Amino acid sequence: MIYFDHNATTPLDPRVLEGMMPWLRDYYGNPSALCRMGRLARAALDRARDQVARLVAVSPEQVVFTSGATEASNLALEAAAARYASAGLWVGGTEHPSVDAPVTRLSKERAWPLWRLPTTNAGGHRLASFPKAEDPVIAALMLANNETGVIEDPLPLALEVRRGGGFLHVDAVQAAGKIPLVFEATGAHTLALSAHKIGGPKGVGALIVESGLDLRPLCIGGGQERGLRAGTEPVAQIVGFGLAAELALQELAARAALTLALRQRLEAGLDRISGAVIYARAAPRLPNTTLFSLSGWEGETAVMALDRAGFCVSSGSACASGGHAPSPVLLAMGIPPDEARRAIRVSVGWANSAAEVDALLEALTAMSMTGP
Ligand code: PLP
């Protein structure tokens, strides 16, 4: 099986697994314990916090470990909501459900107005003109989109939101490890990260918090993570996240160059397939991501055909009760539903090869000729 679904999750880097093993097998102390085993675990957490902090250029005190980016975004948005008696909600039109769902729930439960930032045909957002807001605004915008790979600069939004005393949360899950990432340059109050998209383990992520910002925790209890996320820390997972973050930073340029060369090879091949359309091509994109469609093929059907041929890719849609739902991201970009059902996402990793891309292109060419 050739794996081309790295935006869904990445394989665990063998170097990360090796670094985690002692913390799974030998060093089982509770980081809150005073005994030697506890102190060793605490030191491992401190090291990992430092490694994650360096990935986004913050100080270690700004890193709050969570069970993943979903929890980090939920924590940020609930904590933001607790700061205001009344607020407007502004959210990107192509956000991941881990951001869109909590914002939508806040809007329903508190009757706060929700405004989705208009998405352009290129897959970005219009970040120049904002509606007049009477209340402070809680805003959320992703740095890079998981389906199209479109990269955005949230700073204009951050400046507007801060002018009115509001709050900005940024989902940087797909950007981390693929493009340079400096927390302060985003203008955000909080930023979500996930380990399993950068060669780390699943079930661990982090919320990066602006220095000095006081947030209301979701999970209270033992006071871990400076009171922001109670619960005994999963030391091995966090150690793995730290290592993955360190490697991602060290190897960022090399990984980006490798994946970009593969993406360009793939897209040059797609250009030779009649009826293939590549989306968001004109926008700045992650080096590893191509969202496209093949004429006549629904995304889900194409994914299953490719699976049988030995390739792991993804469709831009979720399979909804018997039918194939169109990609919400393509719909937001103004692509008609029939076409948005055809989205296929290839997200390459640094361990993929040109020969693997060529094999995929061969399969896609054959599919485009035979039809489903
Ligand atoms: N945000 C984006 C853009 C994602 O692609 C994902 C992963 O699917 C998440 C958030 C959720 O991350 P996690 O699996 O760590 O909760």
Side-chain angles (χ1 to χ4, degrees):
M1 178 60 75
I2 299 175
Y3 190 76
F4 284 126
D5 201 14
H6 294 81
N7 286 11
T9 195
T10 53
L12 186 63
D13 188 314
R15 296 167 293 179
V16 171
L17 176 62
E18 197 181 323
M20 289 172 69
M21 281 312 283
W23 302 96
L24 286 164
R25 195 180 45 210
D26 310 319
Y27 302 114
Y28 41 79
N30 185 321
S32 299
L34 283 179
C35 64
R36 172 184 294 257
M37 280 295 229
R39 293 198 309 273
L40 282 172
R42 169 66 46 199
L45 288 191
D46 289 346
R47 205 161 38 247
R49 199 180 303 283
D50 214 54
Q51 290 163 317
V52 171
R54 264 186 268 132
L55 180 64
V56 290
V58 296
S59 60
E61 307 78 59
Q62 292 175 257
V63 178
V64 179
F65 287 119
T66 62
S67 65
T70 299
E71 184 191 327
S73 290
N74 273 260
L75 165 61
L77 293 162
E78 285 292 331
R83 297 167 73 84
Y84 304 103
S86 175
L89 300 165
W90 293 0
V91 63
T94 58
E95 290 301 301
H96 189 268
S98 57
V99 164
D100 199 73
V103 170
T104 305
R105 188 171 72 178
L106 280 175
S107 165
K108 282 198 184 125
E109 287 181 354
R110 304 192 186 212
W112 289 353
L114 170 58
W115 180 64
R116 286 204 163 75
L117 304 171
T119 309
T120 66
N121 293 342
H125 293 89
R126 283 191 198 92
L127 296 181
S129 55
F130 301 99
K132 225 173 120 29
E134 318 226 308
D135 286 325
V137 164
I138 298 172
L141 188 70
M142 68 198 329
L143 215 53
N145 186 268
N146 44 306
E147 288 193 32
T148 55
V150 168
I151 300 167
E152 260 178 313
D153 177 7
L155 195 59
L157 175 63
L159 296 176
E160 177 71 16
V161 165
R162 282 179 183 268
R163 207 172 3 250
F167 188 105
L168 173 66
H169 173 65
V170 163
D171 173 344
V173 166
Q174 296 292 345
K178 295 181 187 134
I179 55 171
L181 182 47
V182 174
F183 173 69
E184 218 171 283
T186 66
H189 292 83
T190 51
L191 177 141
L193 296 173
S194 179
H196 74 98
K197 312 283 187 178
I198 60 167
K202 293 168 185 59
V204 62
L207 185 69
I208 308 300
V209 181
E210 185 182 49
S211 211
L213 188 71
D214 197 21
L215 290 185
R216 183 178 193 269
L218 267 186
C219 218
I220 52 175
Q224 288 90 345
E225 296 298 293
R226 288 182 299 108
L228 267 169
R229 206 286 186 169
T232 304
E233 301 89 339
V235 179
Q237 306 296 101
I238 291 174
V239 165
F241 186 13
L243 278 171
E246 183 172 286
L247 291 166
L249 187 59
Q250 273 167 13
E251 297 173 3
L252 187 82
R255 290 181 189 182
L258 275 170
T259 53
L260 181 62
L262 295 176
R263 192 195 83 187
Q264 285 169 338
R265 191 176 185 96
L266 173 69
E267 295 188 356
L270 287 172
D271 283 340
R272 292 191 292 271
I273 298 178
S274 145
V277 178
I278 299 171
Y279 298 104
R281 202 169 192 175
R285 278 180 299 151
L286 293 174
N288 78 319
T289 309
T290 303
L291 187 71
F292 67 99
S293 64
L294 276 189
S295 162
W297 283 85
E298 296 232 318
E300 297 280 339
T301 317
V303 167
M304 293 321 293
L306 286 167
D307 187 73
R308 285 191 295 277
F311 301 96
C312 209
V313 304
S314 145
S315 75
S317 67
C319 213
S321 56
H324 297 270
S327 150
V329 173
L330 286 185
L331 287 181
M333 287 165 58
I335 307 283
D338 269 356
E339 187 177 344
R341 267 189 201 94
R342 299 208 287 266
I344 304 168
R345 181 186 69 189
V346 171
S347 45
V348 301
W350 66 88
N352 284 130
S353 66
E356 289 174 339
V357 170
D358 291 346
L360 175 66
L361 281 168
E362 216 173 287
L364 289 169
T365 306
M367 283 166 63
S368 80
M369 291 195 294
T370 57

